[in-house]
Amino acid sequence: MTAQKLFLERVAEMIADVDGPVLELGLGNGRTFDHLREILPGREIFVFDRAVTAHPASIPDGDHMIIGEIRDTLAYCGPRVKRPAALVHCDLGTGDPTADLAKAAWLAPQISERTAPGGYVASGIALDMPGFEEMPRSADAELGRYWLYRKAA
Ligand SMILES: C[S@@+](CC[C@H](N)C(=O)[O-])C[C@H]1O[C@@H](n2cnc3c(N)ncnc32)[C@H](O)[C@@H]1O
């Protein structure tokens, strides 16, 4: 099992007592979406991407697939998502430090706005998150290159 899978399974346990949906930022080939819906049965998962390129078996239904530039869709998804998220999983890293810094600048406040008190943000890009605690990086987080933040309850 990969470090990413182990990490997401630990985070799934952490949100057990937090109400709200999961926001999956970046469908890609649907690998982490598949894993999240398997380990979080019954939890509503909204997935964001500018395009849908995953295998049909790894695509959410139309009500839960939010297509477009995340900078626009995350800001205006409130009427559709309705509740603040228990978990935001952000898999939008490019590997380019400058592009990732630029992305983090607009992403962090938008993610913060969408996260429930006590909710978690798991991100492949380091984010400046006032009002959140940065959780210690476990071995699987380190290997999976994840940062984990928890919003004050
Ligand atoms: C690394 S992939 C996600 C991988 C996915 N979590 C998986 O396990 O298969 C990143 C995805 O985010 C999408 N993406 C990146 N930046 C975006 C943006 N600003 N708006 C919308 N989609 C974006 C890309 O289209 C790509 O599909």
Side-chain angles (χ1 to χ4, degrees):
M1 188 175 287
T2 65
Q4 185 183 42
K5 280 191 151 187
L6 285 172
F7 171 75
L8 289 177
E9 285 174 12
R10 240 168 18 80
V11 175
E13 287 170 13
M14 290 178 188
I15 65 165
D17 294 331
V18 188
D19 258 358
V22 171
L23 306 186
E24 164 81 328
L25 307 185
L27 174 68
N29 64 23
R31 203 166 39 90
T32 50
F33 167 62
D34 268 343
H35 189 50
L36 286 170
R37 68 179 167 178
E38 181 191 323
I39 60 180
L40 291 165
R43 185 79 72 157
E44 205 171 12
I45 305 177
F46 291 91
V47 185
F48 295 70
D49 206 302
R50 59 166 66 97
V52 177
T53 55
H55 185 277
S58 301
I59 297 171
D61 63 61
D63 287 341
H64 293 87
M65 182 71 231
I66 299 180
I67 301 173
E69 279 300 310
I70 288 171
R71 194 169 185 161
D72 302 324
T73 54
L74 192 56
Y76 295 101
C77 68
R80 192 152 159 195
V81 172
K82 295 188 179 74
R83 293 175 303 149
L87 170 65
V88 180
H89 174 236
C90 173
D91 195 6
L92 302 176
T94 62
D96 176 74
T98 310
D100 286 353
L101 269 178
K103 200 171 265 187
W106 59 261
L107 254 181
Q110 288 203 20
I111 290 177
S112 174
E113 178 125 340
R114 296 272 157 232
T115 309
Y120 288 80
V121 175
S123 176
I125 308 176
L127 299 171
D128 182 18
M129 302 289 282
F132 286 64
E133 177 189 0
E134 184 175 340
M135 309 301 284
R137 278 184 113 185
S138 56
D140 49 19
E142 193 75 52
L143 270 174
R145 277 173 294 206
Y146 270 109
W147 283 263
L148 183 63
Y149 307 92
R150 179 174 185 266
K151 192 170 189 173

